[in-house]
Every structure is written in structure tokens, then in C-alpha cells.
Amino acid sequence: MRIAVPVFPGSNCDHDAYHALKHVVGVDTAFVWHKRSSLEGFDAVVIPGGFTYGDYLRCGAMAKLSPVMDAVRRFAEGGGPVIGICNGFQILLESGLLPGAMMVNESLRFVCEYVHLRAETGRTPFTGGIAPGTVLKIPVAHYQGNYFADDATLAALEERRQVVFRYCDPSGDPTAGSNPNGSARNIAGICNERGNVLGMMPHPERCSEEELGSADGRRLFDSMVAWLKEKGK
Amino acid sequence: MKAKIYVTLKKGVLDPQGRAILSSLSHLGIAGVEDVRVGKYMEVRLKDAAPDDARRLLDDACRRLLANTVIEEYRIEIE
Amino acid sequence: MKAKIYVTLKKGVLDPQGRAILSSLSHLGIAGVEDVRVGKYMEVRLKDAAPDDARRLLDDACRRLLANTVIEEYRIEIE
Amino acid sequence: MKEKPVTLELAREHGLSGEEFERVRAILGRDPNFTELGIFSVMWSEHCSYKSSRIHLKKFPTKGPRVLQGPGENAGVVDIGDGLAVSFKMESHNHPSFIEPYQGAATGVGGILRDVFTMGARPIASLDSLRFGRPDHPRTRYLVTGVVAGIAGYGNCIGVPTVGGEVYFDECYDGNILVNAFTLGVVKRDGIWRGYASGVGNPVIYVGSKTGRDGIHGATMASGEFDEKSEEKRPTVQVGDPFTEKLLLEACLELMKTDAIVGIQDMGAAGLTSSSFEMASRAGTGFTMDLDLVPQREEGMIPYELMLSESQERMLMVAKKGREGEVLEIFDKWDLDASVIGEVTGDGVARIRWRGKTVAEIPVAPVTDQAPLYDRPAARPEWQEALQRNPDPASLPVPADLAGTWMRLMSCPEMADKKWVFRQYDHMIRTNTLVLPGSDASVLRVKGTRKGIALSVDCNSRYCFLDPYLGGMIAVCESARNVACSGAEPIGLTDCLNFGNPEKPEIMWQFRSAIEGMAKACETLAVPVVSGNVSFYNETMGKGIHPTPTVGMVGLLEDAGDRLVQWFDAPGDAVFLAGADRMGECVGGSLYLKEVHGKVAGTPPPVDLDHEKRLQRFLAAAAAEKLLSSAHDLAEGGFACALAECCVTRPDGPIGAKVANPFPASVRPDFVLFAESQGAVLLSCPPGKKGALADAAERFRIKMKELGNVGGEHIDIEGVASVRAADLHRGWRDGFAKTLGLEG
Ligand SMILES: Nc1ncnc2c1ncn2[C@@H]1O[C@H](COP(=O)(O)OP(=O)(O)O)[C@@H](O)[C@H]1O
Ligand SMILES: [Mg+2]
């Protein structure tokens, strides 16, 4: 089993994802430079957070043009598990692998803090081991995480069970006060129709060890490993 | 040759920046502004070309990079 | 009434965004673009007023909030 | 820009005195040309030459068994064992941040990051020490918003967490804010790089952003007072490009894993000039440089501009001859401009060419060796005496509502929760931050080891104003104590000395006294100064700031698992006051005196350095023996505010405590609550550890008093004042944004 962490100019959570996967979860993990156009030999893709191309123009707008993103698209079309975290999520939106767009936070300020998420579905490879309704404690760190999609798209997302995580209070209620950025319907993470591509603003790689304040993020990676094992990887 | 590109949020897309500016203006005591929408404005210098070709080129650039057509629309002016 | 405001970087001020866009365009194979400078574009709706008053108001808004006159300059168009 | 004929008057406009100009002529044996004048003016500016401060900075202890690199390089380096070292430094970006808060603060962060990764270290954490004018000054809100956003904008983008800092407000900073940025990196002991241009024939390589007309005269601006004309200097503002710096960081660290280069230095203030002259001067060499080969962003730049530009995100390096191809290849991978622009020479002369002509020819050594050095007159100001004598404490009325006063102090912006600030900073990236901002010191783990690094930045400038010697001493003690409260041993410090105009004897006296006080504390506590920065001329139209020698302290935990936080955690834990005998009735320079009685006067609390040292050792020992649940020192706001902080800063929500009044019954209740002291710490521990804790205190001869217990709805100092923990928490949490009029 081998996990790819694509690295773009300006990626900066690449080492964190690598550390969590390789040293905490203990799976074989490798960086993939963005100019590479193949993901041959990899079983899952973790697109890390950061400020690719400085977040200039729009977050993820320039990274989507990298050769590696063509490979990610093919990988996803083949049913392979892909997770985009924070800037990785923004890249997936910009490349059209996930619907919708990110706007600047309602506060117009960067926000870095622990939030609570309610898991909505176990249908993705990354949430198979997390029962719907589970509340996770996990940090966000972004300036543009205010998820937007038009009403028809939002309705379709709900109907097809593509909303994977919502911001909520510690008891699991998706209240306005628990929404750190103004996202539509408190959406923190969504998947594609098929369920194999997940994008989320919060950072599971930052809370995969108790000593960092929470190990809830590890559950996503553990789920991924279990899912891959089941597939014989 | 030169061109100008305007990228603006589509109607119906909430503009957090515009809203914040509006409230700051009223804090500053600047009254009379009823709405602000913030967009991007790009000044582009191009190799000389027929205006039609230039437009086609920039249209391509907008669709593929400069605007996110999920939330934004764009306008190109060639000088 | 309506107005448009253009905020652009002063000449000589580094525009990291413009530079990054330029290099992405060339990666896209969009040749012929020689320079890009990125600015802000605002569409403003105002209470009806004499054009001179409106301009004064927006000028004030630009200097105090909308533009950072240390590194940016602005232009106002009243419709 | 056009070249101008060089005259004495022009030299003066460049900040050179008549005597300095004569020295330039003596060194060259002729009149300098315009480019050469520019070079001398920046090299001999206060900012680059430290001409007014050097003789005093020598008083700092800079050596120690752990010191691998002291002051003089881009950043200091201290050994932490396991084959690793930490490199750190602090820098000011005060003037630029006042003119353009976002870009000024952002480029300040960019500059200090470059200083650290130039040493070969990967930056793992930053701190920021900020001082603004009165909260209700019309510009303060704008400056706070811009500075914080600028630090966030740069630090977050490059991916180095900003894990702590401080924010103060005082009228004295109305016209001169302070923005001091600290960065620490981790480097292999045998992987440290320095700024040496050695090896005749080796190529000199320029890398990073293209050169524009940014910040020309930035270095001389930092060496001059503000006046009304400063507005006109604005277009020299530099714009930061954190994305390019991120690429530069990764490319340089990749390059440093090879042995293709011999020396490297960032282009900070005075850009190409200072980097090339300093590197050559350290190595005792000369160099040639062809300015046509410098990557340029703007057209028509003349040599003067190219040499003085302060465009950001640039580095200068010297490669091994024949290896330049490897160097250029790495930079090409990272899409960075790089260009061989010259060569190291053996004759000790800098020869700068442009369009086929030599445009400057200067012997390198004299530029640094014969740089001006001043022992400027220093005199204690006449008003100092009266300032210290006042006010008579007995004349101060006791507030009728003590609980209300307590609430008021805890919600004033100096004491209130700084979450509005640090929420905008990514303080978790790189997944090392074990103690997040909000405790006395932030603690980071060092991956691959068991070690932890504790960081704190401190300076109480009211104390320094009232007594610069004692104030300087306290800045060192307090930052070391903050680090010790997290369980760490202080192992080295950096400083940022922010003062007014050194040409005024009273400012020079403040400067000298503060340094002497700091040096004394460093010696006793055995903490070396390994890097630092001086910022003079923090004056506007003759009005200067309080002397503000900010200290950035680095502590080491052998086992990060021993780390401590400042907040009470478990109901039933016992509360102790360690250093109990240090508590006096000192209200001089206190927050209480300023906020409630509107006075900055009196003398700061006394310091007992020997006791301070024992206290810090005791804290580290108690932490290592796992005797404590928390430790928090008494600082601004005195006993009551320290206790309140233990109760309300807890991330999981406030908790109460019931404690005895530690003072004799004769002490006025307002002084019990808010008098300030040095060398006192509030501790909490599980009841079962009480005995062992008392034994440890005994061993270090620390007087400890048991005061009560954690728990309950109230924070109750028996017989003096009591408040509901939830109420105090709310006031503290909202105070910062509310007072400054920043929503949310
Ligand atoms: N400018 C800042 N940036 C980041 N963190 C800050 C800043 N100012 C204060 N903090 C954090 O808030 C907490 C309280 O700060 P402060 O009141 O100065 O603490 P102390 O009195 O213990 O030195 C500390 O953990 C500090 O690191
Ligand atoms: Mg403290």
C-alpha cells in the first residue's frame, strides 16, 4: 500500500501529511512533485494544504493546471481514493473534481483554531470507520473556507449524501455560532457522487496524535487504510 | 497592445468583501453608499495581434484560469 | 446612481500576483501575453447626488478605506 | 533616478557626518562617486554599522557551553544535543510598519525568516512582539489590523507557525509603533552555514526575486527620526512576496544539503551592498560584480539603485568554482531567478561594473573595520528622579469596588485574551506546537527527539522607562521565568533594543543602563545573548518611546512530556505561591497605577537575581519530577490578575479557585490584589504531590505558601475580593476586540 502526497510550489502542509501517514499511521508514503504526470504505483492520494502559488488570483486556481492534476483526475475516475485538505480541497474545487467554490471567510480574517465537525456519512474511503453523527475535534486554518454553491447544487449534494462533514457545536448541532467561516449549510467537507473523492477544509493531519491536542484526525487515515486493505492493497 | 479584464462575482453570489466595506464605510461616517461589489481588474499587455485573435486568446485565458465561472463572470476590453 | 472604482498598484510596486499569473499563462500554452498587473474593481451603488458630490464622497472613501494610497492609486468613474 | 554630483551636502543628506565623509575620502584616497557614496552611507548607517550601540553591546555575555554561533552572523545558534541545534534571532520593522502596516509587518517576518534559513536551519516557529499607541488613538485600530494581517499573511503563507508574542498599548507609541519579529529554526550541528565569501575565483550568485526600486533608503530611513516629510518617503515601501520566499526557503535548504556552496547570506537592509561587503569582509576577500547580470524588474535602474535596492526575497551566495551549474539547476527546479553576477577576488577590493565600466571601487576591509564607532554622551535625565519619587502610594484612593476594578484590569487590552490576534496566525502548522498560544511560553516538540523548545518574548517597557537598568534586568528575568514556567531551562536569548534618538544623552543613558541591567541578569542566570537587533530613532517630532528592550527567550525541555501550562486544570488541586517572600507592596510602574490612577511613575519591583535563578531551577526540577499541574508567574496586574489568568485561560473553559490572602493583614486590599512583584509564581498540584513539592522547594531554598484549592464557581481571594469565574472570563475574552472597536 502506497500513498501519494503531491507537492506544488507553495504547498506547506505536505510534511505534516507525510508525517501523519508515514510516522503515525505507518503507511508507505511518498511526495510527488507537481510536474509529474503519473501516479502509477500509488493506491491513494492526499493533496495537502498550503498556499499553492501564494493563493494568488484564487486559491488553487494555478495548481489545478499542474500535470499531476491530470493524473489525479484519471486516478479518481478509476475509483481511487483522493482526499484534498484545505488548499487541497480548494484545488479539487477549482479543477472541477468537486462542485462549488470557496469564498473568503465572512470575517475577512484568517482563522486558525480547533472546531467541531459532525460526520455525516461513512460512504467515503476516509470515513468508513466513523459512524455518522460522530463529533470530531479538529483544527481549521484558512482565509478562504467559506463554501459556496448555488441552491440547486446544494440540494443535489444533500440528496446524494455528498456532504461529509459539517461544522457543529461540541454536542453535534450545526449552529451558526459553530461555523468559523460562513460556509453554506455549515459544510466543512464534501465528496463526489461516487464517494471516492473527499475535500475538507479542516486538517486531520494536524490532529493525529494525542499530544497535539486531539487524535481524531487519525480516524480518517485509519479508515483509508482499512478501505485499501479490504481492496487487497 | 493592451487589454483590460474585469472579473466580477455573478449576481446571486454573496460578496463578503463588499459587505464588509459597506459596513466600514458607514463606521467611517461616509453615508450614501448603498451597495459595493468587489471584483478584479487586470491590465494585460499583449503582443500585437488582430483584435479578434487577441480576444479569443484572452477569452481562453479567462475560462481556463483568470475567472472561476462557478461564481464569477468576466468582461474583456481590447484597446 | 452608479460608479466604478479601479484600484491599481503604483508603477514600480512589485505585483507578485501578476507575476505568478503570467508564468501560469505560459504554462497553459497561452502565448503572447507579456505582462499582467492585477488590481481591484468595485461597482458601487450610491444615493442619487450631484456628480461632484458623489465624486467627492468616493474620493474620500478611496483615500480612507478602499485604496492603500501608499502603494496603490485609484480612479473613479461616475455613470 | 539620476546620478548627482557628490558634495558634502549630499553626503549629509545621506546621513553621513562631515567627519564620516572625510573618512570615506581618506579610505578611497579621492572623492567618492555617487554610487560609492550610496554604498558608504548604507554601510555606515546606524542600521548596518551599529555605530552608536556597538561598544555597549559588547557588555552582553555571548558565550556558553551550548553556543555554536554568537552575535555577528545572520542568526545565533545554540546546541540542543542529539546532534541538533536551534538558530534564532529577532528583528524590528518599526518604521516601515508605521508607514504601511500590512507590508511593513509582512516584510519584517520575511526578513527574519531569511536570517534563520540562511544559517541552514529550517524555521519551525515565529513570535511577534507588538506595541501600539493608545487604544483610542485614531490610527491604532488601523495599525493593529494591518500589522496583524501582515504577519499572518506572510507567516501563514510560507508555512511557519506564529506560536506566541505580546501586544501592548501606550501613548508613547502613538507615533512610533514597534513590530519585532522572532524566528527559530532547527539545524543539524554539522549543517550550519555562514556568510563567508571565501575562495578566490569562486562565483558569486544572486538568487530570488528580481531587483526593483523598492525601499531604496530603507536602511537610512530606519536610522532617521520621523518628520512630516516621512510621508513623501512612502513610495519606497517594499511589498512582500511570501510565495517566492517559500520557494527560496525550499531551494536553499535543498542546496545546502549539497556541498556546492561555501557561503550564503540574505539580502536584508541595504540589499546587494551589505550582503556582498559583509560576506567579503568576514572572509577577508574582495569581489567583482557585474550589475548588468543582476535580474531586474524595472527598466533604467542605475548602479546606485541596484546596489541599494531593498527588494525582498533575495539571497547572495558564493559557490565552489565549477559547481555553479548544480546551484542554478536547483533554483531552476523551484522557478527562481538565479544568476552568476561576479567572482571572489584575493585583493580585498570590491569592483563593481556596469555597462562595461567600473562604477565603484572600494577596499572592503576598511568599510567595516574603519566604520564609525561612537561612545555617545549619556546622562541620566533630570526628570528621572521626580518620576521615580512619585506618587506617594498613601495618597492613592482605594477603589470602592475592588471586584469591579479586578474585572476592569482583566479586560483592558494589555491583559485581555489575545485570541483576536493569534487566531489569525496559523500556530499549528508543522504539527509541533504542543502548547498553543495562551500560556506563559509556547512549547514545540522537535520531531525525531524527545525534546521540547519553549519560547517567550517579553518586555515591560513601563519598568524600563522608570528604571532602565532594573527594567532591562526584569525583561530578561521575566522571559526566562516564562520559559521556566513551562518546565524548560532557558538556554539562550535574542533581543530587539528599541529606543529613541541616540544622539540625545538621556536616550543613550537609557540604552546603556538597560543593556547593563540585561547583561547582569544574563550573567547570573547563565543565559547567553546569541543574536539581536537595535532600532534607534523611534521618535516623532522629538517625542520618543519608552525604552523597549524586547527579549526573546529560548528554553529547552529534555523531555517535552514534562511541559507545563499556566492554567489550573483539576478541581481539588492545591494552589501554592512559590517565592512568597518576594511579594512586596510595590505599585511603581504597575498596570493598576496606569489603568486605574492614570500614572506611569514610581520604581519597578526589586529583583533578586540569585533567587530568580533558584526559582527557575526549582520549576524545571518540579516539572521533570511531574509534581505540578500548572505554573504561572506574577507579572502585570499582580497577584489577583495572575490568579485570574490561571482560572480563565484554560482552553476547556474557566474554572474557579479559593485562596488565602498571601500578604500580611496590614497591606491595603488594592495593593494585595494589584501590586506587582518579581520572582513569584503560582503553582497548582494534585493533593497527593504536596509533600514532594514542598521537599523540592526546600532543596532550592524557595519559600512556598499553600494558599487554597482549585474549584468552584468563584475566583475568591478570601476576605479581599471575589468574582464569578464565568463573568471574569467573559470580560477577559471580549476585552481586546471591544476596547479596540474590532468586531468579533
Ligand atoms: N502578538 C501576539 N501573537 C501571538 N500570540 C500572542 C500575541 N500577544 C500575546 N500572545 C499570546 O497570548 C498569551 C498572553 O500574552 P501576554 O499577556 O503577553 O502573556 P504574559 O503576560 O504571560 O507574557 C501568550 O501566550 C502569548 O504568547
Ligand atoms: Mg508572562
Side-chain angles (χ1 to χ4, degrees):
Chain A
M1 181 185 309
R2 198 148 191 256
I3 318 296
V5 176
V7 180
F8 303 85
S11 293
N12 62 24
C13 301
D14 46 346
H15 287 88
D16 299 356
Y18 183 91
H19 171 78
L21 290 162
K22 173 116 177 195
H23 299 125
V24 181
V25 178
V27 284
D28 185 14
T29 305
F31 293 123
V32 177
W33 186 236
H34 73 117
K35 286 181 181 162
R36 272 185 45 186
S37 49
S38 157
L39 286 166
E40 196 64 48
F42 288 104
D43 302 301
V45 178
V46 178
I47 308 178
F51 283 70
T52 50
Y53 296 92
D55 274 0
Y56 299 147
L57 189 62
R58 292 182 316 278
C59 306
M62 293 187 237
K64 78 171 175 222
L65 306 174
S66 284
V68 79
M69 285 310 295
D70 290 330
V72 170
R73 184 185 307 278
R74 289 194 302 274
F75 187 83
E77 279 165 6
V82 175
I83 180 173
I85 300 166
C86 197
N87 192 229
F89 184 13
Q90 293 162 340
I91 296 171
L92 292 173
L93 291 170
E94 278 284 339
S95 21
L97 282 164
L98 291 174
M102 281 302 169
M103 313 273 301
V104 49
N105 296 347
E106 237 173 15
S107 67
L108 299 194
R109 289 191 291 269
F110 191 95
V111 50
C112 174
E113 67 184 352
Y114 267 97
V115 299
H116 291 94
L117 293 189
R118 190 176 74 195
E120 302 286 73
T121 167
R123 65 187 285 245
T124 80
F126 305 95
T127 52
I130 306 171
T134 305
V135 175
L136 305 176
K137 187 184 164 210
I138 191 165
V140 290
H142 58 249
Y143 179 61
Q144 306 193 30
N146 179 354
Y147 181 75
F148 172 88
D150 59 33
D151 290 335
T153 309
L154 288 172
L157 283 173
E158 303 275 12
E159 196 185 329
R160 296 177 190 141
R161 294 189 304 125
Q162 286 175 251
V163 176
V164 183
F165 294 114
R166 269 183 238 273
Y167 301 110
C168 64
D169 66 15
S171 68
D173 247 348
T175 55
S178 57
N179 184 340
N181 50 35
S183 284
R185 305 193 187 188
N186 278 40
I187 288 175
I190 55 169
C191 63
N192 60 351
E193 255 187 273
R194 188 166 172 178
N196 62 316
V197 178
L198 166 65
M200 62 190 295
M201 288 314 291
H203 285 271
E205 83 285 10
R206 291 191 183 187
C207 55
S208 290
E209 295 162 86
E210 255 340 310
E211 68 175 355
L212 293 171
S214 163
D216 287 354
R218 184 176 171 166
R219 300 181 64 179
L220 280 90
F221 303 125
D222 286 340
S223 295
M224 174 193 77
V225 170
W227 189 91
L228 289 172
K229 274 199 180 131
E230 205 167 284
K231 295 277 178 301
K233 305 285 183 186
Chain B
M1 67 195 291
K2 285 188 173 171
K4 288 172 181 164
I5 300 174
Y6 303 80
V7 179
T8 48
L9 286 174
K10 283 184 180 167
K11 239 172 79 198
V13 177
L14 209 71
D15 176 10
Q17 255 178 307
R19 248 191 9 194
I21 289 176
L22 204 59
S23 93
S24 297
L25 284 174
S26 89
H27 279 309
L28 280 177
I30 299 183
V33 179
E34 291 175 337
D35 190 36
V36 182
R37 304 272 293 171
V38 182
K40 284 186 208 111
Y41 168 67
M42 290 175 241
E43 293 177 341
V44 178
R45 210 178 62 227
L46 293 158
K47 275 221 191 72
D48 282 336
D52 270 6
D53 290 343
R55 183 173 297 277
R56 217 173 354 246
L57 182 95
L58 292 179
D59 198 63
D60 191 33
C62 284
R63 266 180 304 106
R64 289 167 66 196
L65 178 67
L66 302 179
N68 177 346
T69 51
V70 175
I71 44 170
E72 294 170 333
E73 52 199 14
Y74 59 88
R75 205 173 79 232
I76 299 167
E77 273 175 19
I78 306 227
E79 291 199 341
Chain C
M1 65 195 295
K2 285 186 173 173
K4 288 172 181 164
I5 300 174
Y6 304 78
V7 180
T8 50
L9 284 172
K10 285 184 181 166
K11 220 177 118 199
V13 174
L14 175 72
D15 178 11
Q17 283 210 79
R19 236 193 46 169
I21 291 173
L22 196 63
S23 90
S24 285
L25 286 174
S26 88
H27 285 309
L28 271 179
I30 297 184
V33 178
E34 292 175 335
D35 189 37
V36 181
R37 304 268 297 169
V38 182
K40 268 185 262 156
Y41 167 67
M42 286 172 252
E43 293 175 343
V44 179
R45 211 179 62 229
L46 292 158
K47 274 219 191 75
D48 282 335
D52 271 7
D53 291 342
R55 182 171 298 277
R56 213 168 2 235
L57 181 95
L58 291 179
D59 198 65
D60 191 34
C62 282
R63 269 181 299 105
R64 289 168 64 195
L65 180 71
L66 304 179
N68 175 353
T69 52
V70 178
I71 50 176
E72 295 172 332
E73 52 200 14
Y74 59 88
R75 206 173 79 231
I76 299 167
E77 272 176 18
I78 304 227
E79 293 201 339
Chain D
M1 186 171 203
K2 278 219 180 71
E3 299 217 348
K4 290 181 194 156
V6 173
T7 59
L8 176 59
E9 198 194 331
L10 186 71
R12 286 227 168 88
E13 276 173 32
H14 276 72
L16 291 176
S17 69
E19 196 188 320
E20 289 167 354
F21 186 57
E22 270 318 305
R23 194 176 303 183
V24 171
R25 297 181 51 190
I27 289 173
L28 295 176
R30 60 179 162 82
D31 279 344
N33 64 31
F34 187 56
T35 306
E36 290 165 337
L37 176 69
I39 290 173
F40 274 101
S41 80
V42 291
M43 287 304 290
W44 288 2
S45 68
E46 194 61 61
H47 195 82
C48 291
S49 74
Y50 288 87
K51 58 190 169 192
S52 306
S53 58
R54 254 175 21 239
I55 55 166
H56 298 295
L57 294 174
K58 286 205 186 95
K59 297 171 186 164
F60 283 137
T62 60
K63 297 203 167 61
R66 291 184 183 274
V67 178
L68 301 176
Q69 176 65 58
E73 264 289 341
N74 291 297
V77 186
V78 176
D79 196 342
I80 60 166
D82 286 348
L84 295 175
V86 288
S87 174
F88 55 91
K89 186 173 191 289
M90 184 153 53
E91 276 240 334
S92 64
H93 230 212
N94 305 338
H95 294 71
S97 302
F98 186 75
I99 291 175
E100 209 311 275
Y102 185 98
Q103 296 297 345
T107 52
V109 173
I112 191 63
L113 283 161
R114 277 195 305 284
D115 274 331
V116 167
F117 72 72
T118 302
M119 303 299 295
R122 177 174 282 279
I124 63 159
S126 294
L127 305 171
D128 62 327
S129 165
L130 310 177
R131 281 169 177 76
F132 300 99
R134 281 169 287 145
D136 56 358
H137 185 278
R139 231 175 121 78
T140 298
R141 192 169 63 163
Y142 163 75
L143 290 168
V144 171
T145 309
V147 164
V148 170
I151 292 168
Y154 209 101
N156 298 351
C157 181
I158 197 166
V160 176
T162 305
V163 299
E166 50 174 3
V167 193
Y168 284 90
F169 298 88
D170 192 285
E171 191 178 350
C172 72
Y173 304 109
D174 278 355
N176 290 84
I177 63 171
L178 301 185
V179 175
N180 294 177
F182 165 105
T183 291
L184 173 133
V186 175
V187 58
K188 289 214 178 86
R189 244 199 87 120
D190 55 9
I192 300 166
W193 289 90
R194 294 184 172 82
Y196 279 86
S198 39
V200 174
N202 279 339
V204 175
I205 301 178
Y206 169 112
V207 44
S209 290
K210 292 181 166 62
T211 298
R213 292 191 171 89
D214 316 272
I216 292 176
H217 273 166
T220 41
M221 172 169 87
S223 309
E225 263 182 59
F226 271 3
D227 52 34
E228 278 136 317
K229 280 211 205 96
S230 298
E231 295 275 313
E232 293 167 18
K233 292 181 185 165
R234 282 179 162 189
T236 65
V237 166
Q238 313 138 22
V239 171
D241 179 0
F243 171 58
T244 297
E245 178 132 315
K246 167 73 175 164
L247 303 182
L248 198 56
L249 159 70
E250 297 300 337
C252 286
L253 292 183
E254 189 172 325
L255 177 64
M256 287 162 168
K257 286 192 194 140
T258 74
D259 63 344
I261 57 170
V262 297
I264 177 164
Q265 169 140 350
D266 78 299
M267 290 192 219
L272 206 46
T273 295
S274 61
S275 54
S276 57
F277 276 81
E278 285 174 16
M279 279 177 79
S281 128
R282 287 194 198 106
T285 54
F287 59 91
T288 62
M289 205 148 78
D290 188 343
L291 296 180
D292 298 310
L293 302 173
V294 171
Q296 294 169 39
R297 192 176 83 228
E298 294 182 66
E299 277 163 29
M301 292 182 72
I302 61 170
Y304 176 95
E305 293 171 308
L306 288 162
M307 288 306 290
L308 268 53
S309 162
E310 295 195 349
S311 287
Q312 299 287 298
E313 292 92 24
R314 302 180 300 161
M315 304 281 250
L316 195 69
M317 58 190 69
V318 172
K320 289 183 183 157
K321 197 172 180 167
R323 305 283 298 273
E324 45 276 58
E326 275 168 69
V327 176
L328 298 182
E329 203 172 301
I330 288 175
F331 289 115
D332 185 54
K333 169 186 164 188
W334 291 98
D335 292 328
L336 289 165
D337 278 310
S339 160
V340 176
I341 61 169
E343 197 175 289
V344 177
T345 58
D347 63 358
V349 177
R351 278 191 193 80
I352 294 155
R353 296 174 62 77
W354 182 65
R355 299 196 175 161
K357 285 191 311 245
T358 297
V359 291
E361 187 166 320
I362 302 174
V364 173
V367 176
T368 41
D369 301 348
Q370 292 177 43
L373 180 63
Y374 298 122
D375 187 358
R376 295 195 188 275
R380 185 172 200 253
E382 285 156 24
W383 42 261
Q384 198 76 32
E385 193 74 39
L387 188 66
Q388 291 187 346
R389 224 180 309 112
N390 283 314
D392 173 11
S395 72
L396 300 169
V398 180
D401 178 5
L402 286 171
T405 308
W406 196 1
M407 286 279 279
R408 180 171 150 199
L409 287 183
M410 284 300 290
S411 55
C412 79
E414 184 168 327
M415 290 303 296
D417 192 359
K418 306 299 187 300
K419 191 167 183 190
W420 186 91
V421 176
F422 63 73
R423 196 169 106 120
Q424 297 185 56
Y425 302 154
D426 191 334
H427 46 264
M428 303 180 197
I429 192 163
R430 304 202 65 78
T431 61
N432 296 320
T433 322
L434 302 181
V435 177
L436 304 178
S439 198
D440 277 328
S442 301
V443 179
L444 297 130
R445 65 180 178 184
V446 181
K447 288 198 187 101
T449 74
R450 300 183 63 78
K451 294 183 195 306
I453 302 289
L455 302 174
S456 175
V457 59
D458 287 275
C459 177
N460 183 326
S461 70
R462 279 192 297 274
Y463 291 172
C464 295
F465 175 56
L466 299 175
D467 184 335
Y469 180 81
L470 197 51
M473 204 178 251
I474 288 174
V476 172
C477 289
E478 206 171 318
S479 58
R481 200 184 315 124
N482 278 334
V483 155
C485 280
S486 74
E489 174 204 351
I491 57 167
L493 70 82
T494 180
D495 62 66
C496 211
L497 309 175
N498 308 277
F499 288 78
N501 181 349
E503 293 158 47
K504 295 182 183 165
E506 74 254 32
I507 302 288
M508 213 52 220
W509 173 82
Q510 290 176 334
F511 184 72
R512 193 186 68 192
S513 309
I515 285 191
E516 287 168 1
M518 293 168 79
K520 182 88 179 98
C522 289
E523 267 156 33
T524 312
L525 300 179
V527 188
V529 178
V530 298
S531 57
N533 171 256
V534 178
S535 170
F536 280 133
Y537 298 100
N538 291 289
E539 294 197 8
T540 298
M541 290 179 239
K543 197 172 165 327
I545 59 165
H546 289 168
T548 314
T550 316
V551 174
M553 185 67 67
V554 176
L556 179 66
L557 281 135
E558 283 302 331
D559 186 343
D562 296 341
R563 68 187 177 278
L564 294 173
V565 292
Q566 74 175 35
W567 50 84
F568 293 155
D569 189 39
D573 273 5
V575 177
F576 288 91
L577 181 69
D581 49 333
R582 300 293 130 188
M583 308 248 302
E585 297 175 45
C586 180
V587 288
S590 66
L591 179 69
Y592 170 66
L593 198 60
K594 181 189 169 194
E595 284 289 321
V596 178
H597 298 286
K599 292 190 171 68
V600 176
T603 51
V607 176
D608 175 345
L609 288 174
D610 186 56
H611 174 268
E612 188 69 52
K613 186 173 173 179
R614 281 185 282 119
L615 177 70
Q616 294 178 16
R617 301 258 152 100
F618 160 65
L619 288 167
E625 291 167 40
K626 301 242 184 334
L627 303 177
L628 294 170
S629 306
S630 71
H632 183 40
D633 74 317
L634 271 57
E636 293 92 353
F639 174 68
C641 290
L643 179 71
E645 284 179 329
C646 291
C647 295
V648 301
T649 57
R650 183 168 173 263
D652 291 337
I655 194 166
K658 193 175 175 65
V659 300
N661 170 5
F663 283 89
S666 58
V667 178
R668 293 167 52 152
D670 55 338
F671 290 6
V672 166
L673 296 172
F674 310 123
E676 297 181 6
S677 51
Q678 286 293 301
V681 177
L682 274 167
L683 307 173
S684 72
C685 81
K689 302 267 171 87
K690 279 171 26 178
L693 184 63
D695 290 346
E698 179 98 34
R699 258 191 288 138
F700 290 91
R701 289 185 289 123
I702 297 298
K703 284 227 176 83
M704 212 167 62
K705 216 182 221 175
E706 184 169 356
L707 297 184
N709 293 95
V710 176
E713 304 264 292
H714 288 81
I715 310 174
D716 185 0
I717 300 173
E718 286 167 286
V720 188
S722 172
V723 287
R724 273 176 54 88
D727 294 344
L728 197 83
H729 176 259
R730 204 172 315 112
W732 168 79
R733 184 192 63 196
D734 300 337
F736 188 87
K738 219 174 191 169
T739 316
L740 283 149
L742 305 154
E743 21 72 65

